Amino acid sequence: LSLFLFHFSATVTTMTERIQINPQIPDAAVLARAAKILRDGGLVAFPTETVYGLGAHALDIAAVRKIFAAKERPSWDPLIIHVGNLAAAVALTRKIPPFFEALTTEFWPGPLTLVVEKSPKVPDEVTSGRKTVAIRMPAHPVAHALLEAANLPIAAPSANKFGRPSPTTAAHVLEDLQNGVDLVLDAGPTTLGVESTVLDLTQNPPKILRPGGVTRENLAKILGEVEVARGVSAEIEREGALAPGMTEKHYAPRAQVELFEANLHDCAARMRSRAEQLQRDGKRVGLITRADDWERFARELFAKLRELDAQKVEVILCELPPAEGIGLAIRDRLLRAAGKSEL
Ligand code: AMP
Ligand code: MG
């Protein structure tokens, strides 16, 4: 018995601590603790306006490696570095590209990630060996205050297991990441619900690598026409390798996902008859439809996918928005959740 107990206690790992924090006026003592963990090379999950991020000191290689381990993220998928001010962003870049000033003035802080040539001080571990680095200044008061308190650039991908729907609550973070995360700052659900737009400024004209919180239409006001990367096949051709974030099956629940174009007039009827057919075949079916606007749909989408998984649904039937405004980002996530590049 004593041997058994010894064995048992030896395999217990440290629990992740979860602390509630006011999303508008974050507590300074809590932030100071989180900042110390980051300075000491630990991992802190924190809210941003898009989704929860899993943060580490971006210039500390050992800390950055812990992110990949906790997420089970492949080393070829680079991380976004979060900064609290413009000077911190400039310090990470080798050369300021065209449009950088205009875009940061208009959209920072906010859900726009800019890919620029990296300064030599950015570790290869962060950029997966690339010569470029992705940088963003988040708008969430907790993220902003944490960056100020830590006074560090923070590498922070979404705080989910690789391939799973991104976390929009602290509970989602804890569901996916039980080991290796020192602290989760719980400020309630995030407001946007989809990730940042990733814009490559090293190409001319700049190209959207991942549609997100800042719409293509709003970027076009500054850039003129802006292209969207065509997905995995085009990027493999261009780079001769799998480009980051472009794996086909991503943001995926365990259930199989089937999509229905919302702007086809018989969308609701087609979803209903498909659901009935699946139920006749003995399948557990879940439906995701738009209650009011697509912004709300975006905010709640990842939580709904996780909820339906928890209910052991086998097939999810989901409405697909037109490719405009926030709809472009939603389409991208849903097509990947369904394991498709086009419908
Ligand atoms: P996540 O923060 O989990 O949403 O993932 C970060 C994503 O940002 C990656 O999957 C890429 O799509 C993108 N990204 C990060 N760094 C780069 C880079 N240097 N070049 C191109 N895309 C990048
Ligand atoms: Mg992610």
Side-chain angles (χ1 to χ4, degrees):
L1 182 64
S2 62
L3 186 65
F4 169 75
L5 283 176
F6 171 77
H7 191 75
F8 177 75
S9 62
T11 56
V12 170
T13 48
T14 43
M15 292 275 293
T16 301
E17 194 179 353
R18 171 187 188 165
I19 304 183
Q20 312 265 348
I21 190 163
N22 186 307
Q24 300 307 327
I25 316 144
D27 185 85
V30 173
L31 291 169
R33 254 189 70 202
K36 178 162 189 331
I37 292 171
L38 291 169
R39 275 195 299 272
D40 292 347
L43 299 186
V44 176
F46 61 94
T48 78
E49 68 275 29
T50 58
V51 302
Y52 275 72
L54 181 62
H57 182 343
L59 308 182
D60 177 340
I61 292 170
V64 167
R65 288 198 176 127
K66 288 185 191 170
I67 292 181
F68 285 91
K71 282 180 59 75
E72 294 169 21
R73 183 179 179 108
S75 59
W76 51 257
D77 196 1
L79 309 178
I80 294 170
I81 299 185
H82 293 65
V83 294
N85 56 68
L86 205 57
V90 170
L92 299 171
T93 70
R94 198 178 72 84
K95 149 172 140 223
I96 304 296
F99 300 115
F100 183 86
E101 247 182 64
L103 289 166
T104 54
T105 303
E106 184 70 20
F107 299 112
W108 279 11
L112 177 65
T113 296
L114 298 174
V115 174
V116 299
E117 282 183 49
K118 84 173 188 73
S119 142
K121 76 172 176 218
V122 177
D124 284 339
E125 279 74 6
V126 172
T127 66
S128 300
R130 290 166 177 255
K131 299 259 178 296
T132 57
V133 61
I135 310 173
R136 142 168 143 86
M137 189 192 294
H140 195 293
V142 172
H144 182 79
L146 180 62
L147 283 157
E148 283 212 320
N151 193 26
L152 297 170
I154 300 178
S158 50
N160 53 326
K161 274 259 148 64
F162 182 74
R164 294 268 299 145
S166 292
T168 55
T169 67
H172 296 161
V173 176
L174 291 163
E175 198 175 283
D176 274 20
L177 309 178
Q178 289 91 358
N179 282 325
V181 180
D182 299 291
L183 176 65
V184 181
L185 296 178
D186 179 358
T190 59
T191 48
L192 262 164
V194 289
E195 300 83 350
S196 61
T197 301
V198 178
L199 182 71
D200 187 354
L201 288 185
T202 69
Q203 303 191 46
N204 202 355
K207 196 186 212 175
I208 295 174
L209 301 181
R210 177 181 74 184
V214 170
T215 64
R216 175 190 197 164
E217 292 86 342
N218 280 336
L219 287 175
K221 287 178 196 157
I222 303 243
L223 301 173
E225 257 315 283
V226 53
E227 233 188 291
V228 183
R230 283 294 307 270
V232 74
S233 49
E235 289 303 308
I236 287 171
E237 254 171 57
R238 192 170 67 81
E239 306 211 4
L242 199 66
M246 293 181 159
T247 45
E248 302 231 325
K249 188 118 173 159
H250 212 80
Y251 309 103
R254 283 177 263 274
Q256 175 193 320
V257 177
E258 292 184 18
L259 302 171
F260 296 80
E261 291 281 1
N263 58 1
L264 293 183
H265 71 283
D266 59 346
C267 179
R270 286 188 304 119
M271 281 178 89
R272 208 176 319 115
S273 80
R274 178 66 178 146
E276 284 162 7
Q277 183 198 347
L278 286 162
Q279 276 165 341
R280 276 197 301 275
D281 293 346
K283 297 266 198 222
R284 286 173 71 88
V285 183
L287 265 86
I288 303 179
T289 54
R290 173 181 49 143
D292 32 85
D293 51 83
W294 291 113
E295 278 73 22
R296 172 154 176 214
F297 185 96
R299 179 155 64 243
E300 295 171 356
L301 175 63
F302 288 140
K304 291 223 166 106
L305 293 174
R306 282 173 180 266
E307 218 173 278
L308 291 171
D309 261 351
Q311 291 169 23
K312 303 263 188 304
V313 159
E314 291 158 283
V315 187
I316 296 172
L317 308 183
C318 185
E319 236 184 320
L320 194 64
E324 60 194 30
I326 196 67
L328 192 67
I330 299 171
R331 280 183 78 91
D332 172 76
R333 306 307 186 272
L334 282 175
L335 285 164
R336 289 179 209 284
K340 296 198 158 90
S341 49
E342 287 297 326
L343 204 58

